[in-house]
Amino acid sequence: MKSNQLLQAIAMLCLALFSPKVKSQAAFNKELPKEFTDGFTKEINDSISSLGSFIVSQNNKVIYEQYFHGANKETIFSIKSVTKSIVSVLAGIAQDKNILPNLNTPVLKILPEYNISRSSFKNISNIEGKVAHDSIRNTLTLKNLLTMQGGFDWVENSKISTAMSFSGDPVKFVLDLPFEEYPGTVFNYNSGETHLFGAALAKIVKTNLKQFATENLFRPLKMNTPRWDTDSMNRNIAGSEMFMKPEDMLKFGTMILNNGKFSGKQIVSSKWIQESTSEQVKLDAWDVMPNADGYGYYWWRRKTNGHQAFVATGYGGQLICIIPDLKMVIVTTCFLNDKNRGRSEIKRLHYFIDNMTKEDIYKH
């Protein structure tokens, strides 16, 4: 009799502890009301003239899928800096294969061909500055690059980033930049750092990034990635310029949601997913990321209606938003045309993501 009472007490305690979360998930497990989806579709269509797609999946089932302004399921989009989050997963796969060195390894240990002194001749202009910067450059680690804390004097989407893209060797271009901060101290979003990381990763895996991704990520996920542009040295651009359909972005997001697993197969370890999406850098404000709460390894973090989200973010409105406690993935794409408002499209899309994650819309 006493044992039955004890079991009942334990059951009541568990119910008290976990019922709020169960209740929340149950609320979101209902289908979206037609009244809401009709209004949502009209508002987003009218608000974002460059919008191509908006897809919501929950519990591995698509509950909302709309295409806009001439797009359809077969439309291929440039996913811009969403590419960075894919490269983060490639690094995790390399770690799972025991070929990725410790993240505190200096990048010039992996790319020693770029470790060339800029102070070889005694009459070099500003020799003291170049000696100092060469010394700092030797401390730059893989983790500094993964967390956008390289310390370079850099402004994203500026003449300096354009100059890098036109450079005969963008990796050398980045490594030759002066330092504004010591590596590992200050967050500064820098696609050049991602390209440098990608060059190191390609050297580590002994093949180009697209080949490594095809064999270890795209093919297992049945993703079709028809194009991934390269720089002038024929290296895949690690920070951008990958192209795919929204449904393939959704497959990638679903794999992240399921802790690295897809169709029963572990693509990348759950340990890497947890580490790479955790707060590696404190970041509580970003102009196009409402309720930002940190940055991981090429993953943005924010809260949507109190729920933690991990976001792969690309210029002009390319997003993969993963919300684990709602078991939800949201994918958005936009055309990069003259109607696209650039980075501001990202902020606008987060407004619609927040509308989609409001619990009260599911209680009808």
Side-chain angles (χ1 to χ4, degrees):
M1 186 76 175
K2 286 183 179 180
S3 62
N4 286 341
Q5 290 174 335
L6 181 61
L7 287 170
Q8 287 176 349
I10 291 170
M12 292 292 288
L13 179 62
C14 289
L15 191 62
L17 287 171
F18 299 113
S19 62
K21 187 171 183 179
V22 170
K23 182 181 176 184
S24 174
Q25 288 179 351
F28 279 89
N29 283 337
K30 296 177 182 177
E31 289 188 5
L32 289 166
K34 185 176 185 302
E35 182 183 356
F36 168 79
T37 57
D38 288 350
F40 181 92
T41 301
K42 183 181 186 312
E43 184 183 3
I44 198 170
N45 180 74
D46 294 346
S47 298
I48 306 177
S49 299
S50 66
L51 186 66
S53 67
F54 196 106
I55 304 172
V56 183
S57 171
Q58 188 185 30
N59 295 314
N60 302 318
K61 178 186 175 185
V62 174
I63 61 171
Y64 180 87
E65 182 176 12
Q66 289 291 331
Y67 298 90
F68 303 85
H69 306 116
N72 58 49
K73 287 176 75 77
E74 300 303 311
T75 305
I76 294 169
F77 291 88
S78 170
I79 64 171
K80 304 305 285 183
S81 288
V82 169
T83 307
K84 293 179 174 72
S85 301
I86 292 174
V87 167
S88 174
V89 167
L90 296 182
I93 293 170
Q95 186 182 76
D96 294 343
K97 293 177 178 292
N98 296 315
I99 55 176
L100 184 74
N102 186 290
L103 292 180
N104 292 317
T105 302
V107 69
L108 288 177
K109 293 281 187 186
I110 299 161
L111 300 170
E113 61 270 30
Y114 289 101
N115 194 7
I116 300 167
S117 170
R118 290 176 284 188
S119 55
S120 302
F121 305 103
K122 64 180 180 179
N123 292 324
I124 285 178
S125 169
N126 188 22
I127 190 167
E128 295 86 358
K130 291 183 173 71
V131 168
H133 279 257
D134 283 352
S135 176
I136 295 169
R137 188 171 64 177
N138 277 289
T139 70
L140 181 68
T141 67
L142 293 174
K143 188 169 185 177
N144 297 153
L145 299 175
L146 265 174
T147 56
M148 298 292 186
Q149 295 184 103
F152 293 108
D153 187 356
W154 176 277
V155 178
E156 188 75 2
N157 297 322
S158 70
K159 289 182 179 179
I160 194 85
S161 50
T162 302
M164 184 203 81
S165 68
F166 276 84
S167 168
D169 186 349
V171 169
K172 184 178 186 302
F173 182 95
V174 174
L175 284 166
D176 281 345
L177 289 170
F179 287 91
E180 190 172 39
E181 307 286 350
Y182 284 101
T185 59
V186 176
F187 176 90
N188 182 31
Y189 189 80
N190 181 341
S191 291
E193 290 180 8
T194 311
H195 193 56
L196 175 54
F197 180 85
L201 183 59
K203 184 93 174 277
I204 289 162
V205 301
K206 298 180 179 178
T207 186
N208 66 68
L209 291 183
K210 187 174 184 186
Q211 183 63 35
F212 185 75
T214 298
E215 292 173 2
N216 296 282
L217 180 64
F218 301 153
R219 198 174 291 147
L221 264 60
K222 297 181 173 59
M223 290 171 64
N224 178 31
T225 309
R227 178 178 162 192
W228 187 357
D229 291 352
T230 65
D231 68 7
S232 49
M233 300 286 287
N234 203 31
R235 296 187 185 101
N236 291 111
I237 299 170
S240 189
E241 306 316 304
M242 187 184 289
F243 294 74
M244 65 178 68
K245 299 174 188 175
E247 68 177 8
D248 291 315
M249 296 167 69
L250 181 62
K251 290 174 186 176
F252 178 77
T254 301
M255 184 269 293
I256 300 295
L257 176 69
N258 293 324
N259 282 308
K261 192 174 281 190
F262 189 83
S263 296
K265 182 179 179 181
Q266 197 74 41
I267 308 300
V268 63
S269 66
S270 60
K271 177 178 177 292
W272 180 264
I273 297 295
Q274 289 160 16
E275 181 180 343
S276 62
T277 58
S278 66
E279 186 183 53
Q280 299 293 337
V281 181
K282 186 172 176 57
L283 187 73
D284 55 14
W286 196 248
D287 61 339
V288 295
M289 186 73 58
N291 303 306
D293 73 331
Y295 190 80
Y297 297 157
Y298 301 147
W299 283 99
W300 298 89
R301 293 164 47 91
R302 69 170 295 244
K303 291 288 181 69
T304 172
N305 293 305
H307 302 284
Q308 183 65 62
F310 312 126
V311 192
T313 302
Y315 179 85
Q318 329 309 322
L319 300 173
I320 305 174
C321 183
I322 296 111
I323 310 156
D325 65 347
L326 300 183
K327 301 189 182 305
M328 188 176 285
V329 180
I330 299 176
V331 167
T332 75
T333 58
C334 289
F335 292 103
L336 298 172
N337 53 24
D338 57 0
K339 294 179 180 178
N340 192 293
R341 292 167 291 188
R343 297 176 70 250
S344 64
E345 301 289 40
I346 297 169
K347 187 172 184 178
R348 188 68 179 154
L349 281 162
H350 280 298
Y351 161 80
F352 287 101
I353 287 171
D354 290 347
N355 281 354
M356 189 60 75
T357 61
K358 285 179 182 174
E359 189 172 326
D360 57 356
I361 66 171
Y362 296 81
K363 293 180 177 177
H364 293 273

